[in-house]
Amino acid sequence: MKNGFPTDQLLGYNLFFSKDNHTFDLQQLGYLDYKSPSGIVYSSLKYPSFFITSTDSSSFLYGSCRKIHGKGEDFLLLGDQLLEKHQSDSTKRPSALFLTGDQIYADDVSEHIFPFINKIAGVLMGYEEDLPSIDERVTNYTNRKQISKYVCKFTSRKSTNHLFTLGEYATMYLLCFGPALWKDILPQLSNTPENVDIINFANSTCSTQRLLANIPTYMICDDHDITDDWNITKRWKENVENSPLGRHVLANALTAYFAFQGWGNDPSRFSSEFFDPLIEYVNCTPSNSHSYKRWSNSIIGFSPWTYVAPTKPIVLCLDTRTSREWSYCKKQSWKWIPPSTSGPELVNEKGWTFAITKLLECGWQKNDPLVIVSPAPLYGMEVIESFLEKYISPLRNKGIPVTTSFDLEAWRMNGEGVYHFYEVLVKLDPSEITILSGDSHMASAIEVWAQFGKHEKIKLLQLTSSPLKNESFRGVSGLALKAAIVFYNIFQTEDRIVRVCDENQYFHYNSIAENKAVMLTESIHYQYVNKKSITELTNNLGLVKFSREQTYHQLLTKKDEA
């Protein structure tokens, strides 16, 4: 539309398709029938709908970490139920959905569905990828776990059924975002205990499809969308990109990410120079051709995937995977051990420059509220991160490979990265700051007051919703984590945790030596996310509501809460 869509009212839409001089729409495809399992409309509405808010009083849904065979129910269905309940009321209906990472698990695929994925991939693409022509070493190994480790140089610990081809990645997205492919798969899955979680997921995909059809949805990738530990260290990046097959799988994964997640976030950013080699590759370009190299170089070299969602308030979605910076540890224990890197700076200087430029181009101004999506939380659970930083991280300097085993890549693992984050916040000077995150398989709400140099105090709210469907802390591990958090709270005598950063970007608690300059002081307060705890370990979906007076946060954890 020349003047844009009208705001603050429901807008219905239909889609029309043409094939062989025949035109058909959503109605003829059966999608506009409310009573049909594949219907994408709500009971009182004729068409799928959405709306655009014109004020900062709005609400968003957000979540992360959604695995087909993950434990528990898929809590995206709570988003669908919430929209159904308030389908005609834009004052109560969320205006956007943010999926903040791990929309698929490419490296952790159930053995019960992998054969279907492998079969469908060939039908979907119309050809089989000739992996031995990429790297002949593939024929030396009998399973994908060995190929992943020794040929691709991946470090995923659950790579027995790792996705390799573009068709496999595309099939995984289709399985995660809708019910179409499950119609043929479900009758072939036995109703056994090991398949319960898969069947629950499959049955929820009708709700997922309807939700995605009725709410503007924005996504950003994290590691499992590509492969576990993606770019966790500089050495990891070099090893994988110097492996012909590793590079090929990365390119396939990023191509699928572009098609199913990245393209819609910022369509105007992708020119014909980006599309031409991609289209040639999809049309089965030989791996030894010039266009194949153009495609892989183009998609792997595309960075950052950072974008700005044109919502109210505006949301800056950070790519914390492809614009990383690594620096060597300043403290090295043994001379004969090669220097190791500290945790990565998740967004480097170039990445921040791009992010700020995009933000200002979208009309954001000083003193506007700012929402930032960071796949990894800027502030996680202190009891976990402090233990990793104090006791596990130093083992890297003794040559013990703990980085990939413990995912030592949180923001706090690189003080310089946190410092630069606050430099950006001070430069932008927003009226209020909210950070939406996922990744950690636990949910939290953290209020932080920060003093950065001589500037006025900065208040930010860090909200984390994870997982949507992948409960990791069950049984003994869950009880142990809950006990650790309880004991930590008991022995933490103050209401807030105080952390300070010196001129060398090292963090200390409560105080530092008098001869060191304090560059940043943080006062961190953990809020209760349910009646008993400051963290939620079960599957959940985040709901955040903005107004001029306050920001309201709720975790949807039960069907009746929607």
Side-chain angles (χ1 to χ4, degrees), residues 336-352:
W336 62 86
I337 295 176
S340 65
T341 58
S342 61
E345 184 176 351
L346 299 187
V347 179
N348 59 20
E349 183 178 357
K350 181 181 177 182
W352 279 124

Side-chain angles (χ1 to χ4, degrees), residues 272 454 504 521 545:
S272 60
K454 297 181 180 180
N504 296 318
T521 302
K545 299 179 181 179

Side-chain angles (χ1 to χ4, degrees), residues 30 57 82 103 150 224 336-337 359 406 418 481 494 504 547:
S57 296
L82 186 64
Q103 277 66 259
Y150 298 112
H224 290 289
W336 62 86
I337 295 176
L359 190 61
F406 291 90
V418 176
L481 179 57
E494 301 294 332
N504 296 318
S547 69

Side-chain angles (χ1 to χ4, degrees), residues 61-340:
L61 294 169
Y62 75 103
S64 71
C65 306
R66 186 167 169 263
K67 184 166 70 173
I68 288 179
H69 61 288
K71 296 298 181 182
E73 290 191 69
D74 176 14
F75 272 41
L76 265 190
L77 63 85
L78 294 186
D80 177 58
Q81 291 174 6
L82 186 64
L83 262 65
E84 182 173 33
K85 182 177 181 180
H86 304 297
Q87 55 190 272
S88 299
D89 188 350
S90 61
T91 64
K92 296 181 179 179
R93 176 173 164 172
S95 61
L97 166 65
F98 289 89
L99 298 178
T100 63
D102 297 340
Q103 277 66 259
I104 67 168
Y105 279 71
D107 60 298
D108 184 359
V109 182
S110 168
E111 62 180 335
H112 300 285
I113 63 168
F114 178 71
F116 298 107
I117 292 175
N118 188 256
K119 181 179 179 180
I120 294 170
V123 176
L124 189 66
M125 299 302 295
Y127 58 83
E128 299 286 342
E129 284 187 25
D130 185 8
L131 297 181
S133 70
I134 307 293
D135 194 323
E136 61 183 13
R137 291 176 298 168
V138 169
T139 58
N140 296 335
Y141 299 96
T142 57
N143 61 64
R144 290 202 173 191
K145 188 168 187 175
Q146 293 174 336
I147 296 171
S148 295
K149 181 177 180 178
Y150 298 112
V151 183
C152 296
K153 303 299 181 182
F154 293 157
T155 53
S156 172
R157 295 167 293 283
K158 298 182 179 181
S159 58
T160 302
N161 300 305
H162 201 301
L163 306 181
F164 284 167
T165 70
L166 179 58
E168 289 168 354
Y169 274 92
T171 301
M172 177 62 83
Y173 277 110
L174 293 175
L175 289 173
C176 287
F177 289 166
L181 297 182
W182 287 107
K183 295 175 183 178
D184 294 327
I185 296 175
L186 273 177
Q188 302 180 62
L189 284 178
S190 57
N191 192 15
T192 57
E194 56 266 28
N195 282 337
V196 168
D197 292 311
I198 298 174
I199 293 171
N200 285 341
F201 183 95
N203 289 333
S204 72
T205 52
C206 290
S207 293
T208 300
Q209 176 176 261
R210 186 167 67 167
L211 173 65
L212 297 181
N214 285 274
I215 188 169
T217 302
Y218 303 92
M219 312 183 195
I220 192 68
C221 56
D222 206 5
D223 56 344
H224 290 289
D225 296 289
I226 310 300
T227 184
D228 193 18
D229 301 327
W230 177 34
N231 290 347
I232 192 168
T233 65
K234 186 176 182 180
R235 185 175 298 174
W236 190 102
K237 178 179 173 66
E238 292 172 345
N239 286 343
V240 172
E241 292 188 8
N242 286 330
S243 159
L245 187 61
R247 186 176 179 83
H248 177 78
V249 176
L250 281 188
N252 276 335
L254 285 165
T255 298
Y257 167 73
F258 160 75
F260 289 91
Q261 298 192 52
W263 188 3
N265 295 325
D266 190 2
S268 62
R269 190 177 171 196
F270 303 98
S271 65
S272 60
E273 292 182 1
F274 180 89
F275 275 103
D276 291 346
L278 186 151
I279 293 171
E280 288 182 22
Y281 170 68
V282 172
N283 289 329
C284 197
T285 297
S287 60
N288 59 355
S289 67
H290 174 68
S291 58
Y292 173 87
K293 294 177 182 177
R294 280 182 62 209
W295 160 72
S296 62
N297 289 338
S298 173
I299 196 73
I300 292 176
F302 188 88
S303 176
W305 292 90
T306 293
Y307 65 94
V308 175
T311 51
K312 286 285 189 175
I314 283 176
V315 179
L316 171 63
C317 297
L318 295 176
D319 168 11
T320 58
R321 284 286 165 183
T322 71
S323 57
R324 294 183 166 198
E325 193 80 28
W326 298 271
S327 57
Y328 288 106
C329 286
K330 299 172 185 177
K331 300 177 181 179
Q332 197 69 35
S333 300
W334 296 339
K335 294 181 179 179
W336 62 86
I337 295 176
S340 65

Side-chain angles (χ1 to χ4, degrees), residues 379-384 440-446 464-467 473 477-486 489 526-540 553 555 557:
Y379 294 92
M381 295 307 300
E382 182 66 25
V383 65
I384 298 174
S440 58
H441 293 198
M442 61 183 72
S444 61
I446 305 170
T464 302
S465 172
S466 173
F473 300 101
S477 63
L479 291 174
L481 179 57
K482 290 178 181 178
I485 292 173
V486 169
N489 289 337
Y526 289 81
Q527 302 177 345
Y528 279 83
V529 292
N530 57 45
K531 294 180 180 179
K532 299 180 180 179
S533 178
I534 60 173
T535 187
E536 177 62 62
L537 304 181
T538 61
N539 293 337
N540 60 87
H553 179 245
L555 288 177
T557 57

Side-chain angles (χ1 to χ4, degrees), residues 407-457:
D407 291 340
L408 301 179
E409 55 183 339
W411 280 97
R412 71 174 293 154
M413 297 297 170
N414 188 302
E416 191 172 1
V418 176
Y419 184 84
H420 288 161
F421 200 121
Y422 273 99
E423 275 190 322
V424 171
L425 294 182
V426 167
K427 181 178 181 179
L428 292 173
D429 193 19
S431 60
E432 56 185 284
I433 305 159
T434 306
I435 302 176
L436 304 180
S437 297
D439 180 57
S440 58
H441 293 198
M442 61 183 72
S444 61
I446 305 170
E447 180 187 77
V448 180
W449 283 93
Q451 180 73 54
F452 186 81
K454 297 181 180 180
H455 298 277
E456 292 185 7
K457 281 189 175 181

